[in-house]
Amino acid sequence: MALAGKVALVTGGAQGIGRAVAGALLQNAAKVSLVDFNQEAGEQCITCFNQEFGSDNSLFIQCDVTDREKLQDAFKRTVEHFGKLDIVINNAGINNENNWVKTIEVNLTSVVKGTYLGLEHMSKEHGKQGGVIINVSSMAAFLHSPHQPVYTATKYGVVGFTRAIAEASEIENYGVRINVLCPAFVDTPLLQSIDQEEKMGKFYKHKDEIKHRMSIYGVLKPSLIAEGMLKIINDNSLNGAVMKITTSKGIHFQSYEPMSA
Ligand SMILES: NC(=O)C1=CN([C@@H]2O[C@H](COP(=O)(O)OP(=O)(O)OC[C@H]3O[C@@H](n4cnc5c(N)ncnc54)[C@H](O)[C@@H]3O)[C@@H](O)[C@H]2O)C=CC1
Ligand SMILES: CCCCCC(=O)/C=C/[C@H]1C=CC(=O)[C@@H]1CCCCCCC(=O)O
């Protein structure tokens, strides 16, 4: 998919990985709708994007992705503002083992809802033109963290859901490619949650073990994750792909044995 003129909706787009991929999309002449519940970060981000890329190419919508009606409205407002939708990046995520119900709601339930909303606005079954959806998981889906069991579960779930709905999209000819991206540790504010007992709960005592893993595996730059996302968007052959991004191997893909009878 050529990016110029394309419209992308990015959840969690106000900071971290979401902001990085939004900036990369704007640099390639796409238009972006940032859906984030952090009003201050969203306004600050949009101010920067408007200065760098012009005020007609970015939109900030304050929205908690766990509020289904507000998320549905965010998609509707994005299409009303830009006239169409081509790319959805379900990126918003948290690390909160203390409030693990919320973690499931943000990291998994909202990714499912965002995927279905993306299909509503892009799928040929709804008379639309097709598009691309990227769901953000984690390398925790391959190297589980004993100190983040629910975070790990949500990221496993995002991989499984994405692979399944991608095959459904192919079978039903939705015209929408759906892929999942699994980064290792990335240098974003999310990592601050490791030092927050209110987020880590009873696993807080293991924070130094997580930091030790970070020292072993390294910490990636958000720009590399954005590079991986653009690769997925630009490669029309990718559907149901599981992209992994690590310090040791860079951007690569998980391979799976064909399903046996
Ligand atoms: N930072 C890391 O080491 C890694 C992050 N990831 C995943 O990447 C994604 C992005 O994470 P980061 O950029 O690192 O985090 P971040 O905390 O820097 O940014 C996340 C953004 O999502 C927003 N957000 C959180 N909950 C929301 C909600 N309920 N509604 C709307 N917006 C909400 C936040 O306001 C923030 O702007 C997440 O899914 C995370 O699990 C995956 C692997 C590693
Ligand atoms: C800690 C809060 C933010 C969580 C970010 C995240 O998703 C972390 C994932 C890590 C959890 C357990 C792990 O060890 C995950 C990283 C695994 C990296 C594996 C790299 C392997 C390699 O380089 O070959």
Side-chain angles (χ1 to χ4, degrees):
M1 173 188 282
L3 285 172
K6 292 296 189 291
V7 176
L9 184 150
V10 183
T11 69
Q15 70 181 32
I17 291 168
R19 178 168 177 163
V21 67
L25 288 163
L26 287 163
Q27 281 172 342
N28 284 274
K31 300 176 186 300
V32 298
S33 176
L34 308 180
V35 175
D36 202 298
F37 72 181
N38 189 324
Q39 181 82 28
E40 182 181 356
E43 289 176 350
Q44 191 272 341
C45 183
I46 280 294
T47 299
C48 290
F49 282 167
N50 287 343
Q51 288 169 349
E52 187 169 0
F53 302 107
S55 57
D56 297 334
N57 299 310
S58 305
L59 172 69
F60 169 64
I61 298 174
Q62 196 279 332
C63 165
D64 181 341
V65 294
T66 65
D67 183 325
R68 296 191 182 186
E69 286 185 9
K70 285 194 174 176
L71 185 59
Q72 185 167 3
D73 186 54
F75 275 76
K76 182 169 175 286
R77 288 170 59 191
T78 297
V79 174
E80 287 171 350
H81 183 85
F82 289 118
K84 61 170 181 170
L85 184 64
D86 302 293
I87 301 161
V88 173
I89 300 177
N90 292 302
N91 164 77
I94 62 173
N95 173 55
N96 191 330
E97 294 297 330
N98 211 22
N99 186 348
W100 56 266
V101 172
K102 185 74 174 177
T103 298
I104 294 171
E105 286 175 345
V106 176
N107 294 9
L108 183 55
T109 307
S110 301
V111 169
V112 173
K113 183 61 181 172
T115 299
Y116 284 143
L117 285 168
L119 288 172
E120 271 182 47
H121 289 279
M122 300 191 292
S123 171
K124 291 178 181 175
E125 68 172 329
H126 296 287
K128 307 300 181 183
Q129 80 288 347
V132 181
I133 298 173
I134 299 175
N135 292 330
V136 180
S137 174
S138 161
M139 279 300 292
F142 295 95
L143 201 66
H144 66 275
S145 170
H147 315 312
Q148 301 164 270
V150 174
Y151 179 87
T152 297
T154 65
K155 296 306 184 178
Y156 266 83
V158 169
V159 172
F161 167 72
T162 304
R163 294 186 69 218
I165 193 67
E167 187 168 345
S169 181
E170 184 177 347
I171 293 167
E172 303 292 342
N173 192 27
Y174 290 160
V176 179
R177 297 187 293 111
I178 311 169
N179 298 284
V180 59
L181 190 146
C182 305
F185 292 109
V186 186
D187 184 14
T188 75
L190 182 66
L191 295 184
Q192 295 165 16
S193 61
I194 301 168
D195 282 314
Q196 297 167 347
E197 189 166 7
E198 68 275 16
K199 299 283 180 67
M200 293 300 291
K202 66 182 179 181
F203 302 98
Y204 179 68
K205 64 186 176 185
H206 298 299
K207 65 176 183 167
D208 290 338
E209 291 169 53
I210 298 176
K211 291 180 180 178
H212 178 63
R213 279 194 176 200
M214 290 168 66
S215 68
I216 294 172
Y217 295 134
V219 180
L220 302 161
K221 293 180 180 176
S223 57
L224 181 62
I225 314 311
E227 181 184 333
M229 290 187 181
L230 293 196
K231 181 180 177 69
I232 289 172
I233 295 166
N234 287 320
D235 186 342
N236 291 327
S237 71
L238 295 177
N239 182 52
V242 180
M243 177 182 279
K244 299 157 83 172
I245 305 181
T246 63
T247 303
S248 59
K249 297 177 184 172
I251 297 172
H252 61 295
F253 292 89
Q254 176 67 25
S255 58
Y256 292 88
E257 291 295 318
M259 276 201 286
S260 56

